[in-house]
Amino acid sequence: DSLLRHVTIPIVTVRPDLSHGNAAPNVAADWSLKQLLVTLDGSTTAEQILEPLHTLFPAGVEYRVLRVVSPQNPMLRAITPTSEHDRDLAEQRLRATAYLEGITSRLQAQGIRATHRVMTDSVPAQAIADCAHEPDIDLVAIATHGRGVIGRLMLGSVADKVLRAADKPVLLYRVTEPDDLTQPTP
């Protein structure tokens, strides 16, 4: 946690494979990078993860860009007619798809193989970890604010939750610019 809050370079974390004792996996021998899961929340701040990826990884790596949209809060959902809830969720998915199409088009124009996926889940970190669990994903890349313990308690941290839940290596990139004042694209 402390290291992440103080460095300005991407950090790759590899969880030990506890099924084989406490030994860390031999990443150099057992791992290759073919498909990278890049998580975005719709903000320009989160998009900062794309810049270091271009320099870190070879041209043959395919990017799967993921955006998770959240349905209404369950308490609000209880008082919202089903038709309104479904319409709202469909609009969120359409906006998220259009956003990701723009991102993947930009990446493809730079010669990067890229696809996109929109998932719906009330817990974005769990949806990201579930997607990361798919066998063709080799690494998860996510931007983080690098908040301390108090900041995570107050505001939460999707990156921290993904780091703890993902069974694949996770690249964390601490954003250096303050978050823009716009809300993420729903």
Side-chain angles (χ1 to χ4, degrees), residues 82-163:
T82 301
S83 61
E84 283 184 38
H85 173 265
D86 293 347
R87 185 181 66 235
D88 177 62
L89 195 55
E91 287 175 16
Q92 284 187 63
R93 290 185 61 82
L94 282 172
R95 285 192 301 258
T97 299
Y99 166 73
L100 291 180
E101 285 173 349
I103 296 290
T104 55
S105 292
R106 224 171 56 208
L107 292 169
Q108 291 167 352
Q110 297 170 16
I112 297 169
R113 291 183 311 150
T115 59
H116 64 273
R117 179 175 179 184
V118 175
M119 293 179 74
T120 303
D121 198 308
S122 58
V123 183
Q126 187 58 52
I128 294 166
D130 290 346
C131 190
H133 186 67
E134 294 173 5
D136 57 339
I137 298 296
D138 302 305
L139 178 87
V140 179
I142 189 167
T144 179
H145 294 278
R147 294 184 180 104
V149 175
I150 301 298
R152 285 196 312 271
L153 286 173
M154 298 292 288
L155 300 171
S157 171
V158 171
D160 184 62
K161 291 173 185 162
V162 169
L163 175 64

